[in-house]
Amino acid sequence: MRRSTVIYLILFAIVLGAAYYLNSRQETAALEATPEPTTPIEYLFTSTDGLPTSIRIEAKAGEVVEVARNEENAWALILPEEAAADQGSVEAAASQVATMRILDRIPGLAPDAVGLDVPEYTISFQFTSGAERVIEVGVLTPTESGYYVRGEGSEIVIVSRSAVDSLLGLLTFPPYALTETPPPATP
């Protein structure tokens, strides 16, 4: 074979390989650009409920904390004792109520299998719409990404852990407002 023929065959093979690569790459890009159907994001409470005006958390062990908005629309601690509340920590927890995302629905699951026969926590909410909602919180999921929760419809769902933990933080550390330390007495 002549040398120029070999060069032309090599160039032809390179062009053929480049054309094949570019054609297959365009098909892959077209497949990647097609979005897959996604499941809609669901929340435990709807926007029609409004914003929380009262939150009461009861633990299985007997601890209770309750906060509610007063006449000035500021958060006040009702239980374990009436006191001024730390507005920042209560508002942070209350803002999580609207974002309690349902991660999964578990139809037909026995309540005793997920700690809902005797719930770990019972949380009651009152909203600006006048609606009152009660949820029961069971144990953490095996992946520890959420809690098993039973709402008023008795359906068991998994709710995001971060939203529930922020509410349970009110029970662990009641949101007492900081008080100023009085100045030392002068002799």
Side-chain angles (χ1 to χ4, degrees), residues 13-88:
I14 291 173
V15 170
L16 188 63
Y20 175 77
Y21 172 74
L22 291 175
N23 284 337
S24 65
R25 185 170 168 223
Q26 289 173 350
E27 290 173 12
T28 304
L31 289 176
E32 290 174 359
T34 307
E36 292 186 25
T38 58
T39 58
I41 295 175
E42 292 183 82
Y43 295 99
L44 197 56
F45 303 111
T46 64
S47 59
T48 58
D49 289 331
L51 299 172
T53 57
S54 173
I55 302 170
R56 178 184 176 99
I57 305 168
E58 300 176 47
K60 180 169 63 172
E63 300 97 346
V64 177
V65 69
E66 183 175 356
V67 292
R69 290 200 182 269
N70 59 20
E71 299 82 34
E72 292 88 35
N73 203 27
W75 288 104
L77 191 60
I78 308 299
L79 290 173
E81 62 185 66
E82 287 193 26
D86 177 23
Q87 299 301 303

Side-chain angles (χ1 to χ4, degrees), residues 98-169:
T99 62
M100 293 181 87
R101 184 173 171 210
I102 296 174
L103 301 177
D104 200 2
R105 294 184 178 277
I106 315 292
L109 187 63
D112 59 339
V114 292
L116 287 170
D117 53 337
V118 179
E120 297 292 320
Y121 305 97
T122 302
I123 307 175
S124 306
F125 304 96
Q126 290 184 345
F127 294 92
T128 53
S129 67
E132 294 183 27
R133 305 276 186 251
V134 178
I135 62 170
E136 296 173 330
V137 180
V139 297
L140 280 170
T141 61
T143 60
E144 297 187 359
S145 62
Y147 284 94
Y148 293 101
V149 172
R150 180 172 46 198
E152 296 164 338
S154 73
E155 180 184 24
I156 297 174
V157 297
I158 298 174
V159 175
S160 64
R161 180 179 182 176
S162 60
V164 175
D165 279 347
S166 68
L167 289 168
L168 298 180

